[in-house]
Amino acid sequence: MGVFSFTVSMIAFACPYIYYSSNLGPMMTSLFGGTGLIWLLHSVGETTGRINNDIDQLLKRKSQSVSDRITPSSKSMAQKTRLRSPL
């Protein structure tokens, strides 16, 4: 959550300066669109020449790795909640 709040606060702080001081105005769309396009190309894997089953297996592996990263913290939160409960 810390990285997200930092990023949002930096965008909220910097956007008015970019918009007015740099005289970019509506061209800021290309700034954010270009950044989003670079992120999209980086995060989405190449699927040319792969069949649907290969793509499904890659996505399952990726989702399992994400769930492995999420699961330990959620387990520790559940344990902390149980420790605090009066029952």
Side-chain angles (χ1 to χ4, degrees):
M1 188 70 171
V3 174
F4 177 74
S5 347
F6 176 75
T7 305
V8 169
S9 60
M10 290 307 295
I11 289 173
F13 178 76
C15 280
Y17 291 107
I18 294 170
Y19 190 88
Y20 294 113
S21 301
S22 304
N23 292 326
L24 283 179
M27 290 184 353
M28 281 181 55
T29 305
S30 61
L31 173 74
F32 287 110
T35 307
L37 182 64
I38 291 170
W39 177 81
L40 180 70
L41 292 174
H42 178 267
S43 64
V44 176
E46 180 63 43
T47 58
T48 303
R50 296 181 187 242
I51 59 174
N52 287 340
N53 290 337
D54 291 341
I55 296 170
D56 286 340
Q57 288 176 357
L58 289 172
L59 291 174
K60 283 179 186 176
R61 266 191 247 145
K62 191 170 188 175
S63 66
Q64 286 173 353
S65 68
V66 169
S67 66
D68 290 342
R69 283 185 273 157
I70 293 173
T71 304
S73 63
S74 62
K75 285 181 182 177
S76 64
M77 287 300 289
Q79 290 171 352
K80 288 178 185 177
T81 308
R82 274 191 234 123
L83 292 175
R84 290 185 205 161
S85 91
L87 298 176

